[in-house]
Amino acid sequence: MNSSQTPETPETATPPMPLWEVFVRSKQGLDHKHCGSLHAADAQMALRMARDVYTRRQEGVSIWVVPSSAITASRPEDQGIDFDPMADKVYRHPTFYELPDEVRHM
């Protein structure tokens, strides 16, 4: 820091930009996949930055940006409560069904 700069104080410090989660749908896919995070001032800036960073090679057809603070996730310690009851419901895992050749995205 030189003598012409004033030190940042809590009153003059720039507030941090919010964190956004980025989801991109590829040309071949039907679903959006999480591909990363970025900091941006608002949703429009996040979309522009996500386009520049995550779809440079024109691999995406749709982008979602979601504020990280809006995401609620399960806790690792609740894994048993959340996921163990699913093992006894075989009908939720249709591995024994034959799919027609016309169905490509399952």
Side-chain angles (χ1 to χ4, degrees):
M1 174 170 73
N2 62 33
S3 60
S4 66
Q5 293 179 331
T6 58
E8 280 194 359
T9 63
E11 297 83 28
T12 63
T14 305
M17 288 195 282
L19 184 65
W20 297 81
E21 301 302 322
V22 180
F23 299 84
V24 175
R25 182 168 64 97
S26 68
K27 291 178 181 177
Q28 297 86 9
L30 293 176
D31 55 347
H32 286 74
K33 299 203 185 291
H34 182 259
C35 58
S37 305
L38 52 82
H39 289 276
D42 58 29
Q44 290 304 314
M45 178 187 268
L47 272 173
R48 285 193 305 270
M49 292 173 65
R51 183 198 64 220
D52 293 344
V53 172
Y54 296 107
T55 62
R56 288 182 294 207
R57 295 179 191 93
Q58 300 164 342
E59 59 271 290
V61 294
S62 176
I63 302 171
W64 291 349
V65 291
V66 180
S68 293
S69 61
I71 295 176
T72 303
S74 61
R75 300 180 320 167
E77 57 268 20
D78 292 337
Q79 181 177 356
I81 296 167
D82 291 341
F83 300 105
D84 284 347
M86 304 305 165
D88 62 346
K89 295 179 174 78
V90 295
Y91 57 86
R92 293 188 180 190
H93 305 284
T95 56
F96 45 87
Y97 292 113
E98 295 289 328
L99 291 176
D101 290 337
E102 296 82 28
V103 178
R104 295 183 180 159
H105 295 292
M106 291 185 81

